Structures are given as structure tokens and as C-alpha cells.
Amino acid sequence: GQQFVPCDTSSLSSAFDDVTLPGFDRNVTYPLDLTKTRLMIQGQRSSNKPSLDGARLGHRGMLRTAAGVVKEEGLFKLWKGVTPAVYRHIVYSGCRMQAYEYLRNIVGRNEDGSLPFWKSLICGPVSGSIGQFLASPTDLVKIQMQMEGRRRLEGKPPRVRNTWHAFTSIVRSGGVRALWKGWVPNVQRAALVSLGDLTTYDTAKHFILHHTNLSDDWRVHALSSAMSGLVAATMGTPADVVKTRIMNQPVDSSGRGRLYKSSLDCLLKTVESEGFMALYKGFVPVWTRMAPWSLTFWLTFEEIRKLSGVSSF
């Protein structure tokens, strides 16, 4: 059987891994993130009147969208908003991973170290929600920066110049509270993604260990990460579409959205005007980015925990 050594959740090495690991491959896969955001916005009206965007820019797939950004805006625009994206991952991943380990120790694990499935269904979404709520301002800035190129192609005035300007402009126009615009769908998405990622990885890993002769090594970690990445992308994409559209929508003088009243309103309007599959716009770049990210993160995370003397996740 697998020997379980309780994890010291206050370990500096574990916390350092949680905070720093996600940023390394973030720069490499970031163009997929920007492409995903552009795809998710396709079909969204820019006002309460039908948009001319579809006629002007057309509906594109992943490759045509990325190629269009390079052709119409420049190669390096594929990395527009990468700075707040790194900030977001430092806050989100660090808080989420530490919260999950803390919660699963609180709710109690089995003697072999595995977590009952029903308990992981609680720990995953809760930890993801905590991390995303704290990181929501960085997500808002990232999305607004990612959409700057398209705004200019539509003939609209620039909204933000850089990360600092974006933060200060939001606070100046709506106060500190405005930094959490769209936090509800953002947290909802994070809860679903963490349910798919953390819960699936934790459950799949211990299932494999208990039902096969494989030991707790890179093979088990790779299989578990492949499952978690697919489930996370499938569960999180619809919420990602809703979150992206709410965060990108124009607001009135009081800070209320002009297009959607709530997450449910955005979801219903999107399905009504564009069909159910509109909720999966951007799934290909989401999965293309999440698959290698999940594999890289979990393999590296587990190995560094091992080298640091911390028990396996």
C-alpha cells in the first residue's frame, strides 16, 4: 500500500512551488489565452444594437484568429496582457493550491492519504473560488488589455495603455470595488475548473494507485494530469465565455453592465442569439493550452515536492 506522510502545509518550499511554477510556461502558452479570449467575444454585441463586428472582422477559428492578430496588430500583440496574467497566476495558483491542501486536511483523509470523492467535490471548488476571488482584479485587467487590439480595429478609442494604467483607470472611474467587476462568473468558472482540475487529479491519481500495480511516479502523474486537464477544459469553458463577455462589456455611469444583468442573463442571451455551442467558443485553444500546462505543472509540482521532502500531493 501507499505510505502516507502528512503534508506540512506551512512548508515554505511547497508554497514557493505553488506560486512560482505556473508562471514559467505561462509566457509560452499565453498566445493561446489571448486567442481564446478573442474567440469567446466573437458574436458579442458592442452595444444594445446589432454589431457590425461580424461583417467587418468575420468569425474566425483558432488559427485564423491568431493569424489575424499577427497580420492586423503585430506579432508581439499575441502577448498583450501577459503581465497581469502572470500576476493572476501567482495569486490564484498559490492561494488555490494551499487552500486545497489545508481544506483536505481539515475535512479528513483516509489512512492511505486518499481523499473521499465527496470531500474532494467540496475542497476543489471552494479552494478555486478563494484563489480566483483574490485574483479577480488581475483577470479583469488582462481581458481588457487582450481586447485593445480589436477595439482599435473597430475604430474605438484606446481603453488602456499598460497594466498600471488599466488598474488606475478602473479605480479612478469606479473605485476599488470596480476592480471586482465580473467576479461572480469569474469565481464560478474557477470553481468548475478546480473541480475538474484538482478534484479529478486527486481522485484519478489515487484510483490508479489503488487499482493498478503502478507506483506513485511520473507515469501516474502524467495519466492523472491528462484526465484533469480535459475535464477542467470541458467544465470551465462555458463559464469562461460568460466571464469574458461580462468583463469586456461596456458599463454605464453607475458601473452597471449595458449588455448583461447577471451571469445567467449573459448565458441565456448567448445561447439564444448564437446557439448552445457558443458556450464552447475557444474550447480548442483552452484545451490546447491546458493540456501541456496541466502535464507540465503536475509533473514538476510532484517532483519538486519529492525533492523538497514534502509528501506526494
Side-chain angles (χ1 to χ4, degrees):
Q2 295 295 319
Q3 182 179 5
F4 170 60
V5 180
C7 173
D8 176 12
T9 57
S10 64
S11 169
L12 290 178
S13 60
S14 178
F16 179 78
D17 299 343
D18 299 336
V19 170
T20 58
L21 279 175
F24 290 126
D25 77 324
R26 184 66 181 170
N27 286 301
V28 177
T29 62
Y30 184 77
L32 291 169
D33 195 332
L34 184 139
T35 302
K36 170 211 73 174
T37 298
R38 296 291 183 90
L39 284 169
M40 289 177 174
I41 293 298
Q42 281 185 10
Q44 181 186 35
R45 296 178 176 183
S46 58
S47 66
N48 287 324
K49 297 180 180 180
S51 173
L52 297 177
D53 173 56
R56 181 178 298 180
L57 299 179
H59 289 265
R60 300 165 169 171
M62 181 182 75
L63 295 179
R64 286 189 62 198
T65 297
V69 171
V70 174
K71 180 180 178 181
E72 297 159 357
E73 305 170 38
L75 175 63
F76 292 106
K77 293 300 182 182
L78 287 172
W79 279 268
K80 184 74 172 179
V82 69
T83 300
V86 172
Y87 294 162
R88 183 254 182 191
H89 266 276
I90 290 174
V91 176
Y92 171 68
S93 295
C95 293
R96 182 183 72 142
M97 297 300 293
Q98 290 296 299
Y100 185 82
E101 292 210 56
Y102 178 78
L103 287 173
R104 70 177 183 176
N105 285 334
I106 291 295
V107 299
R109 292 190 267 190
N110 297 324
E111 292 182 359
D112 60 0
S114 63
L115 187 68
F117 182 66
W118 71 269
K119 291 183 179 180
S120 66
L121 288 177
I122 298 173
C123 295
V126 171
S127 60
S129 298
I130 293 172
Q132 187 56 66
F133 178 78
L134 296 174
S136 196
T138 59
D139 231 351
L140 175 63
V141 169
K142 181 195 75 170
I143 288 175
Q144 291 194 355
M145 292 183 68
Q146 287 177 333
M147 294 308 300
E148 274 305 293
R150 183 178 128 158
R151 283 176 57 85
R152 297 185 185 190
L153 289 177
E154 293 175 343
K156 298 176 182 177
R159 183 164 50 183
V160 295
R161 294 193 299 269
N162 51 51
T163 304
W164 176 249
H165 180 251
F167 275 113
T168 55
S169 296
I170 293 171
V171 173
R172 188 164 51 248
S173 62
V176 175
R177 184 177 178 180
L179 288 171
W180 272 267
K181 170 190 172 184
W183 73 268
V184 173
N186 215 1
V187 167
Q188 291 169 342
R189 172 195 174 273
L192 291 172
V193 169
S194 293
L195 178 63
D197 184 24
L198 294 177
T199 299
T200 301
Y201 181 86
D202 201 2
T203 303
K205 175 183 172 181
H206 287 94
F207 180 86
I208 294 171
L209 290 174
H210 293 157
H211 294 84
T212 70
N213 294 324
L214 295 176
S215 58
D216 191 356
D217 57 21
W218 68 270
R219 295 170 298 174
V220 173
H221 304 159
L223 289 172
S224 303
S225 68
M227 296 177 194
S228 68
L230 178 59
V231 175
T234 303
M235 297 186 67
T237 299
D240 205 351
V241 170
V242 172
K243 174 210 73 171
T244 300
R245 293 189 171 203
I246 287 181
M247 286 187 161
N248 187 63
Q249 71 172 327
V251 296
D252 58 23
S253 57
S254 61
R256 290 190 294 267
R258 295 181 181 273
L259 304 180
Y260 313 114
K261 298 177 182 178
S262 64
S263 301
L264 180 60
D265 184 46
C266 178
L267 180 112
L268 294 176
K269 286 182 177 178
T270 299
V271 173
E272 180 182 4
S273 62
E274 303 170 53
F276 176 78
M277 291 310 296
L279 296 176
Y280 279 90
K281 284 185 174 181
F283 176 79
V284 174
V286 167
W287 167 234
T288 304
R289 179 180 67 85
M290 193 168 287
W293 183 91
S294 181
L295 179 66
T296 303
F297 174 78
W298 285 113
L299 287 177
T300 309
F301 181 67
E302 291 276 23
E303 190 62 28
I304 292 181
R305 287 174 68 95
K306 179 180 177 181
L307 295 174
S308 301
V310 181
S311 62
S312 178
F313 185 77

